[in-house]
Amino acid sequence: EADAAAAAALALAVETVDVVSRRRMRLERLPPLVQLSLRGWSRLGVLQVGCASLARLNVSQCTVLSLLVVRAPLLSSLNASGCRTLGEVFLGRCAVLRSLNLAQCKALHALRAPAAARLDTLNLFGCRVLPPESLTPLLHTSGAALRQLNMNGCVGTIDLSEATVRRLCPHLVQLDCQGRKAKY
């Protein structure tokens, strides 16, 4: 019964916001949600989420998403893979984030997650324009916990050496930094 009430409240919040703007969605003060999937929303351009109980967020394949702002202290997993127009990701108060999948976010140029000290899996496969200035602060923050890092195809990070990555992330078990040289 509580789940049904939460789902109804979320549906009302989404419906209300969607009527106002089909491209921008701001979800604040949501009912207690543990998981939210907006996978494949084709008109969603900007998403701001603030939810104290949210643990898993899936916005993968949102083809026009350009800005993602998340404030969720219990967020442990975020999947935004395949959001090819996603340029900016800001993760505030996400202190328990363990898995971040931004694979094939080809426009990603700004990534901030200042509280992500527990991040152990980071997938940046195909984030072609992500500069070292956006990645290095995250590696400083989460480096001690990071176990898996995929930077394959991150052409913009070519100035960030593999030795530097290994120094910042001493417990890496899996590192893929192939394909960082421009092929065109």
Side-chain angles (χ1 to χ4, degrees):
E1 193 170 292
D3 287 342
L10 175 62
L12 179 61
V14 170
E15 180 180 312
T16 302
V17 173
D18 206 35
V19 167
V20 174
S21 169
R22 294 192 179 271
R23 293 201 29 91
R24 295 173 135 347
M25 184 178 292
R26 185 176 187 159
L27 300 173
E28 302 285 339
R29 294 184 297 270
L30 290 171
L33 290 175
V34 173
Q35 182 171 329
L36 177 61
S37 179
L38 301 173
R39 185 181 195 280
W41 280 35
S42 61
R43 294 183 180 171
L44 183 61
V46 175
L47 177 63
Q48 296 179 335
V49 178
C51 183
S53 60
L54 188 63
R56 290 178 302 284
L57 177 60
N58 183 351
V59 293
S60 63
Q61 305 302 319
C62 291
T63 55
V64 298
L65 186 64
S66 62
L67 172 63
L68 177 62
V69 179
V70 180
R71 287 177 303 283
L74 297 180
L75 188 70
S76 62
S77 175
L78 171 59
N79 183 358
S81 64
C83 296
R84 62 180 178 255
T85 60
L86 184 59
E88 300 174 77
V89 175
F90 302 103
L91 306 174
R93 293 186 248 150
C94 298
V96 297
L97 185 65
R98 299 195 46 102
S99 175
L100 179 57
N101 185 352
L102 298 170
Q104 295 298 332
C105 293
K106 296 176 189 255
L108 187 65
H109 60 87
L111 171 60
R112 284 190 234 148
R118 295 184 185 175
L119 187 65
D120 66 17
T121 302
L122 177 58
N123 187 347
L124 299 171
F125 172 77
C127 295
R128 300 184 61 79
V129 297
L130 184 68
E133 299 80 34
S134 283
L135 180 56
T136 303
L138 180 59
L139 296 181
H140 277 286
T141 300
S142 62
L146 209 54
R147 302 289 184 263
Q148 297 177 24
L149 175 58
N150 187 342
M151 297 171 52
N152 189 335
C154 294
V155 177
T157 65
I158 192 66
D159 292 335
L160 185 61
S161 72
E162 183 177 341
T164 301
V165 171
R166 290 196 180 278
R167 183 179 47 79
L168 293 172
C169 309
H171 304 292
L172 279 175
V173 175
Q174 182 178 2
L175 172 62
D176 185 351
C177 57
Q178 300 297 309
R180 294 194 304 148
K181 292 185 174 90
K183 296 179 181 171
Y184 45 92

